[in-house]
Amino acid sequence: MRRFRRAIVAVLALALVAGAIYAIVAVLQRSETLVTERCFAVVGSENHELATDQTANASLISAISVRRGLPPRAASIALATAMQESRLRNINYGDDAGPDSRGLFQQRPSQGWGTEEQVMDPIYASNAFFDGLVKVPGYEAMEITQAAQAVQRSAFPRAYAQHEGMARAFASALTGHSTSSLNCELRMPEAAGDPAVVVDELTTAFGPQAATVQGRSVQLEIGGTQAWAVAHWAVANAKTLSITQVDLAGQTWNREKRDGWQPSAAPTEAVIITVSAPAT
């Protein structure tokens, strides 16, 4: 009888411990502070990851390539170059090889890239890179190392190749040539979003947009690769713009659920970007 009682006590104790562990895990899973914020781009079986600030910069570079009507290969070359030169961050310092290098592409004012203020502007810097790239005959068919080197004239030209997989995956998504392929895992916004700011940032990246603001949402009547370029841009900039949901072509990205793009009743020929509401 004593052994039976001990067994019952042991089972109850284990049940209590298991229940406590389950409760702790559930609380931790709901804790916003424990969410690791990051973004992923998938092409085939390859899955590549960037930090949220790197992804936002990648989205701007890619959007400018779309605005200029360049092929996705141009965005791939630019992203691999910026990753090697600055880790896709707009840094205000150079290195021993180029002490006056600045910005996403580490362009040097002393080499005719522009003023320090200009090369620190991501829009100017991206356009300056593409201005150089389009002058390279046959760059679309070149290896990334060859094309990047023809523009950058780096002391380490082979280094660009190591970023080709990442660049191809993010460029394909951010130029709209891969659908529902870019996902960011984010904490919920701490501040309300502003649809007007979303429209302003979209215009800065892609040029004038026929956007309609309805409540907390921005709707754009566009389709095809342009629509997916804009939708993925919205996901890439969700952290800074307090975007909570993006809908397109029967797919929805929901920031709170953190499960990537999922089937939905989203309209086919429209991108709908929703921002967070003010706290009540």
Side-chain angles (χ1 to χ4, degrees):
M1 182 61 73
R2 288 181 179 177
R3 290 180 180 176
F4 179 74
R5 288 176 179 173
R6 289 195 191 102
I8 292 296
V9 170
V11 169
L12 290 173
L14 288 172
L16 288 171
V17 170
I21 291 173
Y22 177 83
I24 291 170
V25 170
V27 169
L28 291 177
Q29 287 177 335
R30 293 194 297 269
S31 175
E32 291 290 305
T33 59
L34 294 180
V35 174
T36 300
E37 297 191 310
R38 53 192 175 176
C39 298
F40 305 89
V42 179
V43 170
S45 61
E46 295 184 22
N47 188 330
H48 296 271
E49 177 181 336
L50 289 176
T52 55
D53 63 323
Q54 293 173 307
T55 305
N57 286 326
S59 76
L60 178 60
I61 294 169
S62 300
I64 290 172
S65 76
V66 171
R67 183 174 183 173
R68 294 177 61 128
L70 300 177
R73 184 64 171 174
S76 293
I77 295 167
L79 294 187
T81 302
M83 188 64 173
Q84 175 60 30
E85 298 292 351
S86 70
R87 303 298 296 175
L88 272 168
R89 292 186 165 106
N90 195 33
I91 55 178
N92 62 353
Y93 55 87
D95 54 26
D96 292 339
D100 65 333
S101 300
R102 298 290 185 273
L104 286 172
F105 293 92
Q106 287 290 278
Q107 293 154 336
R108 301 181 63 183
S110 65
Q111 299 296 319
W113 283 101
T115 67
E116 182 174 335
E117 182 180 3
Q118 285 175 323
V119 299
M120 280 298 297
D121 176 359
I123 297 172
Y124 175 93
S126 298
N127 275 305
F129 179 83
F130 288 127
D131 286 345
L133 183 63
V134 297
K135 294 176 183 176
V136 179
Y139 75 86
E140 301 98 324
M142 286 183 178
E143 291 184 6
I144 278 183
T145 52
Q146 291 178 304
Q149 175 65 3
V151 180
Q152 294 291 108
R153 301 182 297 277
S154 170
F156 307 99
R158 300 303 303 176
Y160 299 116
Q162 64 187 308
H163 307 298
E164 183 168 2
M166 175 282 299
R168 185 176 61 251
F170 275 88
S172 184
L174 290 166
T175 61
H177 286 78
S178 294
T179 63
S180 58
S181 59
L182 189 143
N183 174 38
C184 291
E185 295 178 355
L186 306 170
R187 304 182 190 103
M188 290 303 290
E190 296 180 356
D194 185 341
V197 173
V198 173
V199 174
D200 288 343
E201 293 297 321
L202 265 171
T203 301
T204 297
F206 290 97
Q209 301 292 309
T212 303
V213 174
Q214 299 177 343
R216 308 301 302 168
S217 296
V218 176
Q219 182 164 322
L220 300 99
E221 301 294 333
I222 52 178
T225 57
Q226 179 77 9
W228 277 107
V230 168
H232 285 147
W233 173 92
V235 174
N237 290 275
K239 179 178 174 66
T240 55
L241 296 176
S242 296
I243 293 169
T244 55
Q245 187 165 310
V246 183
D247 297 277
L248 171 63
Q251 297 283 320
T252 294
W253 175 84
N254 186 291
R255 180 172 180 158
E256 183 176 11
K257 292 182 180 179
R258 303 188 186 105
D259 55 0
W261 290 90
Q262 296 296 323
S264 73
T268 302
E269 296 295 322
V271 180
I272 302 173
I273 303 168
T274 304
V275 301
S276 61
T280 56

